[in-house]
Amino acid sequence: MEDELRARLLAATALVALVPAERIAWSRRRGMPAVALWRVSGRPDYHLKGASGLVDSVVQIDCWGSTYEQAKNIARAVKVALSGFSDAVFRGVFIENERDGFEPGDGAPSSGAPSNFFRTSLDVRVWSTVS
């Protein structure tokens, strides 16, 4: 599911216009701006006759920017690329939660390094045929 979800994001031209492809990655932020993906839960789906063949996962997608506006614009592009999407692999992708935050940067504003990094986090439920 991880490779297919990243490929879906890379196919979104509006997102790649905001974040270089190499900065859209699983399990870590790579530079700024960036999109970091984290699978926070996953379970096979069952019904009374056994496994349905689907996997129910929640993916946290952190959209990082050097400004609040940049982080929000990246999050909007991710939502356009994923919200309600379905195909042979993804039976449904749904945005469940969104929250904003920031973290202290690695330099004083006078040094030219960002004083804060802004983040919009999306919790996305992914129903897929692969884990």
Side-chain angles (χ1 to χ4, degrees), residues 31-96:
M32 188 69 66
V35 174
L37 300 103
W38 307 88
R39 184 174 183 213
V40 296
S41 71
R43 65 173 182 82
D45 181 60
Y46 294 93
H47 48 66
L48 293 176
K49 294 184 180 181
S52 72
L54 295 176
V55 177
D56 174 17
S57 301
V58 175
V59 176
Q60 179 177 312
I61 302 177
D62 294 326
C63 304
W64 291 92
S66 55
T67 65
Y68 175 78
E69 181 180 44
Q70 185 179 43
K72 293 303 283 188
N73 287 336
I74 294 167
R76 287 181 191 110
V78 168
K79 288 191 289 188
V80 167
L82 295 180
S83 186
F85 178 72
S86 67
D87 66 6
V89 172
F90 297 108
R91 296 304 168 94
V93 180
F94 310 101
I95 310 299
E96 291 195 335

